[in-house]
Amino acid sequence: PRRTPSAERMAGLESTPDIAALLVLGGEDRKRWPRSRAALAYYRTSVVSGLLPPKLIVTGGALASHQGRWACEAVWMAEFLESEGVPATDIWRETLARNTLQNVVLGGALALREGMPSTALALASDDFHLPRCRWLFERVFGHAPAAVLGSGEPGSLWLRCRERWAQAVQQRVLQRAGLVPGDWRAHLDFLVGAALAPGH
């Protein structure tokens, strides 16, 4: 049976002012919204606790169809969160990322441009996806995220194997590019250069 965010996963994330923003990774299931719901649960917990709620950074630039319309993933996640009562001013949209590395780099860069330290960023995604998300965050910013929040979705065996393969591939790509761990600006420049290269 499908799991939901457990008390154990939410414990340690409740009522803490250390998290200024939740980076909600793209690849969302637009029927059940598990990643967005996990972020929403923490947002509501913060409000009930009397804390300043975190900004929710939804990231995903891939076009996706939903309810007869086409828009990028970040737009769909933002609209879902707004429909659940999150003010639009608390939702930041990153609409360029097409993969997990870009989610982390571009979403994190958005927060930094808004004056948030990377140490105040937490990650929200499906359970099977979080190990690679956390590894990429540490690779890019030089430290662990403030927290990780799982949706309760364990993923299939195929998805879990794909995650290990994807991490190995991304590790080789970043090493070959000569990117120093912790230099987020170099990672950002690398992504921008790759996007602008001929044939891409």
Side-chain angles (χ1 to χ4, degrees):
R2 182 170 62 89
R3 295 183 293 165
T4 56
S6 67
E8 290 76 15
R9 249 190 308 280
M10 292 301 294
L13 289 185
E14 295 179 357
S15 305
T16 173
D18 299 330
I19 298 174
L22 273 176
L23 185 58
V24 190
L25 281 292
E28 178 68 289
D29 176 347
R30 293 182 301 282
K31 293 182 179 178
R32 293 185 285 113
W33 307 99
R35 302 179 185 194
S36 299
R37 288 187 187 280
L40 177 65
Y42 180 74
Y43 182 93
R44 288 173 170 169
T45 296
S46 299
V47 172
V48 169
S49 300
L51 295 173
L52 183 67
K55 300 298 183 184
L56 303 181
I57 304 174
V58 292
T59 172
L63 286 178
S65 176
H66 182 60
Q67 297 180 339
R69 293 167 49 209
W70 285 89
C72 67
E73 289 183 298
V75 169
W76 292 129
M77 290 190 283
E79 289 190 5
F80 169 77
L81 291 166
E82 288 181 41
S83 75
E84 293 292 324
V86 179
T89 52
D90 282 346
I91 304 170
W92 295 352
R93 305 180 185 194
E94 186 292 300
T95 59
L96 298 176
R98 298 299 185 95
N99 57 48
T100 301
L101 173 61
Q102 293 175 0
N103 288 154
V104 170
V105 174
L106 298 177
L110 172 59
L112 290 168
R113 285 196 302 269
E114 294 295 330
M116 286 185 180
S118 58
T119 52
L121 300 180
L123 303 177
S125 191
D126 294 326
D127 292 12
F128 70 88
H129 191 220
L130 276 175
R132 180 160 62 101
C133 297
R134 181 187 179 105
W135 174 80
L136 283 170
F137 190 96
E138 292 178 354
R139 179 67 163 75
V140 171
F141 295 103
H143 57 78
V148 293
L149 177 59
S151 69
E153 295 291 333
S156 64
L157 176 61
W158 182 83
L159 283 173
R160 295 195 297 274
C161 290
R162 187 188 70 173
E163 283 300 299
R164 290 194 291 271
W165 173 82
Q167 180 170 328
V169 170
Q170 288 178 326
Q171 185 171 12
R172 286 197 299 272
V173 168
L174 295 176
Q175 287 175 341
R176 287 175 181 172
L179 298 178
V180 177
D183 188 346
W184 71 270
R185 290 184 185 277
H187 286 76
L188 179 61
D189 290 343
F190 168 72
L191 292 181
V192 171
L196 296 178
H200 287 74

